[in-house]
Amino acid sequence: MIPLGTAGTYTIVAKTGISTVPSSSITGNIGIAPAAMTYITGFSFTSADASTPSTSSQITGAAWAPETTGSTSPQAAADMLTAYNNGAAQGPATATELNGGALDGLSLTKGIYKWSTTVVLGVGKTLTLNGACGDIFIFQASGAISTGANSIINLVGGVKSNSIYWVGATSLTTGVASQFAGIILTGTNVVIAGSLNGAVYTQTQVALQKATVTPPTTCPSLDANAATWSFSGAAITW
């Protein structure tokens, strides 16, 4: 796993801006730093007072900026840079330049996949990630990462989105009505135009275009003392 630090307490962290074309739906907190709250746009916040966490009908959670009392967004921004550098340095690669960066129709198992080119999942195409719960997938790209409209990242056999990392030196863009999964760590801007089960951490800005963003799924865990299974927040106790 790539340690996320404080960034892991946010669904989206960006340094220079977060925008939405309404209506988007984000589950979890969003944070910005070093830019101010005024660089989070399109959310129609219920309060103009940036010293308190800002709320919006588009966010199940709150927006945080450096001027917000008690904000951890500056630390989250620092931690996401550490996570990005960590992800970019992971190796050795399981495969390099796989299929020339074309993900269409591939079925992959756990590993580190590295490209010096752009990486593309085409319109209406599917990438299948197959494995057990806890299997880690790291995708490293020197070029832009993009997915087309109606494309799908299909998780099979227990793979969870909190174990998938997309580490892009430049941008990442998802298409309209696409289904994307994983933790996004990029050097430049991110555009989400479909659904994302995961999180976004970018060194620049995030643009949401009628997007749906939900926190990454995780493996179930057993507390042996309390005999409690928890599944991404839901619990069954006996």
Side-chain angles (χ1 to χ4, degrees), residues 146-171:
S146 65
T147 70
N150 299 297
S151 60
I152 297 173
I153 296 179
N154 186 30
L155 309 186
V156 176
V159 174
K160 301 300 182 185
S161 57
N162 76 322
S163 298
I164 304 166
Y165 300 92
W166 298 89
V167 186
T170 63
S171 62

Side-chain angles (χ1 to χ4, degrees), residues 55-146:
T55 58
S56 164
S57 61
Q58 297 181 68
I59 307 173
T60 303
W64 298 77
E67 67 269 34
T68 308
T69 302
S71 177
T72 58
S73 66
Q75 185 61 54
D79 289 348
M80 76 173 177
L81 176 58
T82 300
Y84 170 79
N85 289 331
N86 183 310
Q90 292 287 325
T94 305
T96 57
E97 316 301 346
L98 179 66
N99 210 37
L103 302 179
D104 299 4
L106 295 182
S107 180
L108 303 178
T109 55
K110 64 181 180 179
I112 300 172
Y113 299 86
K114 185 179 182 70
W115 293 270
S116 61
T117 60
T118 58
V119 174
V120 179
L121 179 62
V123 173
K125 302 301 183 180
T126 299
L127 167 65
T128 299
L129 304 182
N130 199 335
C133 198
D135 283 357
I136 296 174
F137 297 76
I138 299 176
F139 300 97
Q140 302 166 328
S142 297
I145 302 170
S146 65

